[in-house]
Amino acid sequence: MTFNLRRAVTADMAEIMRLERAGFAPAIQETEQTFAERLAAAPEGCWVLAGEAGRLYGYLCAEFWPLEPGFNPNRFARDHAAGETHSLDGEEIYISSMVVDPVTRGTGWGRRLFSVALAEMFARHLRLRSAILIVNPEWTAARRIYSAEGFAEIGEIEGYFAAGDGRQLSAIVMRRPQT
Ligand SMILES: CC(C)(COP(=O)(O)OP(=O)(O)OC[C@H]1O[C@@H](n2cnc3c(N)ncnc32)[C@H](O)[C@@H]1OP(=O)(O)O)[C@@H](O)C(=O)NCCC(=O)NCCS
């Protein structure tokens, strides 16, 4: 199957929320309000893999941040309002979330979504020169994609993820300068 990578629109919301629920445990799913804020305040960072008849097979959300040495752990708060953090003048892409539909996983679309959406953002916004993200140490597929795409670990945020079994896991912070 092949999908069309395009910018997300408001009409995609129900499908984005279906993917969100399929992608993450309830304790760490983000709210529809958070996604609506992203679409309104940071539309240039919202991308989807579209199939036929409005069905989506993946989404990726990002914001543009000022590039700073190291990182500020407070910036990565779940469900933060993109309107308060996204800046079109930013030099660094923060990839806030990505999900591929479970029916499509393991066929290369996750890596394609990630690499092409980032390439599109770098090509359209010439001030961008770096990308940053956080990942749960147990999300093997995501970690494979980020390493393969040249991201390196630069630190951790302790206790960021509730594992669902009472454990708290650190978030691994990864960055890739754009060459
Ligand atoms: C992360 C995610 C988007 C990847 O999508 P995908 O379509 O499965 O990714 P790909 O098919 O491109 O596979 C990427 C890599 O992960 C590997 N992989 C895929 N599923 C895997 C699994 N269940 N266990 C281990 N490795 C896996 C693939 O083999 C591939 O590695 P390789 O290139 O070294 O062979 C998808 O798994 C997902 O939506 N997960 C839930 C949400 C999530 O973790 N989001 C990312 C953090 S925000």
Side-chain angles (χ1 to χ4, degrees):
M1 220 175 333
T2 191
F3 307 116
N4 173 31
L5 178 74
R6 61 162 172 79
R7 289 254 305 263
V9 294
T10 311
D12 293 325
M13 184 59 81
E15 278 290 277
I16 289 173
M17 293 312 296
R18 178 182 64 77
L19 292 168
E20 178 71 4
R21 287 188 291 273
F24 299 107
I28 59 169
Q29 286 166 14
E30 292 183 298
T31 64
E32 182 165 337
Q33 189 184 340
T34 296
F35 285 95
E37 169 90 7
R38 287 173 177 159
L39 279 168
E44 44 284 308
C46 300
W47 296 83
V48 293
L49 285 177
E52 289 181 0
R55 170 143 188 179
L56 300 185
Y57 290 85
Y59 80 71
L60 179 145
C61 292
E63 302 170 11
F64 304 163
W65 288 356
L67 181 57
E68 54 189 11
F71 61 90
N72 174 355
N74 300 323
R75 280 186 169 276
F76 297 88
R78 183 174 305 113
D79 278 322
H80 71 258
E84 291 168 16
T85 48
H86 173 69
S87 163
L88 266 181
D89 289 339
E91 296 99 7
E92 182 162 64
I93 300 175
Y94 164 54
I95 301 102
S96 52
S97 193
M98 169 173 73
V99 170
V100 163
D101 193 316
V103 299
T104 311
R105 284 185 200 160
T107 59
W109 279 101
R111 179 138 184 216
R112 229 165 282 149
L113 166 64
F114 186 79
S115 66
V116 180
L118 260 66
E120 288 282 346
M121 288 185 274
F122 279 115
R124 292 170 187 216
H125 303 277
L126 298 179
R127 291 177 63 88
L128 293 170
R129 53 197 168 91
S130 179
I132 194 166
L133 55 81
I134 56 173
V135 66
N136 183 316
E138 297 185 344
W139 293 346
T140 311
R143 291 186 70 180
R144 288 186 78 86
I145 292 173
Y146 304 153
S147 298
E149 290 292 325
F151 282 70
E153 296 184 17
I154 59 165
E156 294 193 344
I157 305 172
E158 254 178 59
Y160 185 92
F161 290 105
D165 54 6
R167 287 177 306 143
Q168 297 287 324
L169 299 176
S170 295
I172 301 169
V173 186
M174 304 184 83
R175 175 175 269 155
R176 183 187 76 189
Q178 188 69 2
T179 47

